[in-house]
């Protein structure tokens, strides 16, 4: 069982692709997480600016932050206050802004031929203050897409495929991204986890790949195969990357989507982070890659025996299901013509 996260070099990704791919293969098979260190100075500067504007936004008055309340968005975008979400049945002790690709909303109506999941496309909600937040976030989203495509090529090569073999899954990627603030914990002096003081409970990510920017406060922990929580300490100029359930399923289980959680910060100072979720196009059907079939003992994503949380083969419908369940108020308010069945399917009434 791993005791620390493997550290891979961004420089190697650019200058020693084969060496990077070899190290990446080991990380994906045995850990499901890796640290991408030594980011270019331009990227590191952008990340510092992103965390700065995020911090400024979260210091604004509650009423002002509420002007971009996510409940106003049919696309589940905008500001969520502390406790608005829950993970593994426990409320998340964080506030956040949810973003996605900036797109026009799909027109609905009797004559519409749009798939239900296309309702997830649409515009973001942007705060008025700080005024530079929109530009900084947009630059970050663009930068992370370019890096995600590079990493996707490396992942493809690590599977013994052509570097571009997975590009077909990302013709119009469904990107999700957040700016997150974890307020400092209480002052009772007890252990934060034993006292229920988790920022986010134990979970695995549902998409393809997550790239996490975190400040120097720390709190991310990853569970190894022995059931021990391993700390993911912040490393300046780096990103923590982890595989999602889509990639685990595509590889027939040979690449791991690992459970992780976030401790709530101890008294004195909150934590800022910015996760970027790189996901396939909404119309992709997720199934083990034909090129890899027979290469693994299991071709089924093990998600427990609960039919109520089964992974739907359509990536778009699985993404819609997750959001509909996590945010029933938004689903009921903006999509009254739909219903979410007990098994997770979203259908027209």
């Amino acid at each position: 069982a791993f005791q620390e996260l493997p550290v891979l070099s961004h420089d190697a990704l650019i200058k020693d692709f084969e060496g990077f791919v070899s190290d990446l293969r080991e990380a994906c098979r045995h850990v499901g997480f890796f640290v991408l260190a030594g980011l270019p100075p331009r990227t590191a500067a952008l990340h510092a600016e992103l965390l700065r504007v995020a911090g400024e936004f979260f210091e604004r008055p509650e009423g002002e932050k509420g002007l971009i309340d996510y409940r106003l968005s049919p696309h589940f975008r905008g500001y969520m206050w502390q406790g608005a979400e829950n993970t593994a049945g426990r409320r998340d002790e964080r506030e956040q802004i949810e973003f996605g690709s900036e797109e026009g909303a799909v027109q609905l109506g009797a004559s519409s031929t749009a798939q239900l999941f296309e309702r997830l496309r649409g515009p973001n909600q942007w705060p008025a203050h700080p005024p530079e937040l929109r530009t900084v976030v947009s630059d970050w989203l663009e930068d992370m897409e370019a890096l995600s495509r590079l990493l996707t090529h490396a992942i493809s090569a690590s599977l013994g495929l052509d570097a571009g073999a997975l590009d077909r899954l990302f013709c119009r990627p469904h990107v999700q991204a957040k700016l997150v603030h974890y307020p400092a914990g209480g002052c009772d002096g007890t252990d934060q986890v034993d006292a229920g003081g988790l920022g986010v409970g134990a979970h695995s990510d549902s998409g393809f790949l997550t790239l996490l920017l975190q400040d120097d406060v720390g709190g991310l922990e990853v569970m190894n195969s022995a059931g021990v929580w391993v700390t993911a300490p912040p490393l300046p100029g780096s990103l923590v990357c982890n595989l999602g359930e889509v990639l685990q399923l595509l590889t027939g289980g040979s690449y791991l989507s690992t459970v992780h959680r976030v401790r709530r910060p101890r008294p004195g100072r909150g934590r800022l982070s910015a996760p970027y979720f790189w996901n396939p196009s909404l119309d992709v059907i997720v199934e083990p890659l034909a090129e890899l079939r027979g290469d693994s003992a299991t071709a089924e994503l093990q998600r427990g025996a609960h039919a109520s949380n089964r992974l739907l083969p359509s990536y778009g419908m699985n993404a819609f299901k997750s959001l509909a369940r996590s945010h029933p108020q938004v689903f009921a308010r903006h999509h009254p013509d739909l219903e979410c069945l007990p098994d997770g399917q979203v259908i027209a009434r």
Side-chain angles (χ1 to χ4, degrees), residues 13-40:
L13 173 62
I14 305 302
K15 298 178 181 177
D16 179 21
F17 189 69
E18 287 188 10
F20 182 91
V21 164
S22 177
D23 292 341
L24 178 65
R25 182 184 300 113
E26 290 302 301
C28 293
R29 282 181 172 172
H30 302 297
V31 184
F33 267 77
F34 60 93
V35 177
L36 187 65
L39 297 174

Side-chain angles (χ1 to χ4, degrees), residues 18-330:
E18 287 188 10
F20 182 91
V21 164
S22 177
D23 292 341
L24 178 65
R25 182 184 300 113
E26 290 302 301
C28 293
R29 282 181 172 172
H30 302 297
V31 184
F33 267 77
F34 60 93
V35 177
L36 187 65
L39 297 174
R42 182 188 64 82
T43 299
L46 175 60
H47 288 176
E49 181 69 358
L50 182 70
L51 292 180
R52 182 190 68 79
V53 297
E56 283 194 21
F57 172 80
F58 290 121
E59 289 173 358
R60 306 296 294 188
E62 291 300 319
E64 184 180 317
K65 290 185 284 190
L67 294 175
I68 58 165
D69 187 325
Y70 82 102
R71 292 174 297 185
L72 301 172
S73 166
H75 322 292
F76 305 88
R77 317 271 182 92
Y79 175 70
M80 297 183 192
W81 58 93
Q82 185 176 347
E85 274 196 309
N86 70 81
T87 302
R90 301 172 78 164
R91 75 175 233 157
D92 295 345
E93 299 299 338
R94 62 180 178 178
E95 56 177 336
Q96 61 194 25
I97 320 178
E98 293 261 0
F99 300 101
S101 299
E102 186 72 25
E103 301 179 277
V106 173
Q107 296 301 309
L108 304 176
S111 62
S112 173
T113 58
Q115 299 274 358
L116 294 181
F117 55 68
E118 292 188 63
R119 300 184 186 204
L120 298 179
R121 305 190 199 280
N124 293 303
Q125 294 195 83
W126 300 101
H129 299 284
E132 66 272 30
L133 184 143
R134 178 170 185 166
T135 298
V136 174
V137 169
S138 298
D139 289 347
W140 169 58
L141 294 176
E142 185 178 323
D143 198 64
M144 287 299 96
E145 176 171 344
L147 179 56
S148 297
R149 290 191 182 278
L150 269 179
L151 289 171
T152 300
H153 286 171
I155 289 168
S156 183
S158 77
L159 292 166
L161 308 176
D162 290 339
L166 301 180
D167 287 352
R168 59 186 171 81
L169 305 177
F170 299 94
C171 297
R172 194 177 177 183
H174 180 62
V175 168
Q176 294 171 282
K178 305 180 184 190
L179 298 181
V180 185
H181 172 232
Y182 296 87
C187 301
D188 54 10
T190 56
D191 181 88
Q192 294 296 318
V193 174
D194 290 344
L198 287 175
V200 176
H203 67 285
S204 56
D205 292 348
S206 61
F208 182 86
L209 180 68
T210 304
L211 282 60
L212 173 73
L213 170 64
Q214 56 177 339
D215 66 11
D216 59 358
V217 171
L220 176 63
E221 297 180 330
V222 181
M223 182 180 283
N224 69 16
S225 58
V228 175
W229 290 106
V230 175
T231 299
L235 187 64
S238 75
L239 293 167
V240 177
C241 306
N242 64 281
L243 315 185
E245 293 168 352
V246 165
L247 184 49
Q248 180 170 309
L249 181 55
L250 290 170
T251 62
S254 63
Y255 279 11
L256 304 176
S257 178
T258 306
V259 171
H260 51 285
R261 69 184 185 186
V262 179
R263 281 178 178 262
R264 192 169 179 189
R266 298 196 177 277
R269 183 182 165 199
R271 174 181 185 258
L272 293 170
S273 69
Y276 176 91
F277 302 96
W278 175 244
N279 302 321
S281 308
L282 288 168
D283 59 0
V284 163
I285 300 299
V286 180
E287 58 188 359
L289 294 165
E291 304 95 316
L292 302 178
R293 284 181 191 157
D295 186 44
S296 172
T298 174
E300 199 64 43
L301 178 59
Q302 299 302 318
R303 197 104 178 257
H306 302 292
S308 63
N309 194 29
R310 66 192 183 92
L311 193 71
L312 304 177
S314 160
Y315 177 73
M317 290 312 297
N318 205 64
F320 202 176
K321 174 203 78 171
S322 296
L323 289 166
R325 286 183 154 185
S326 298
H327 308 292
Q329 286 180 299
V330 176

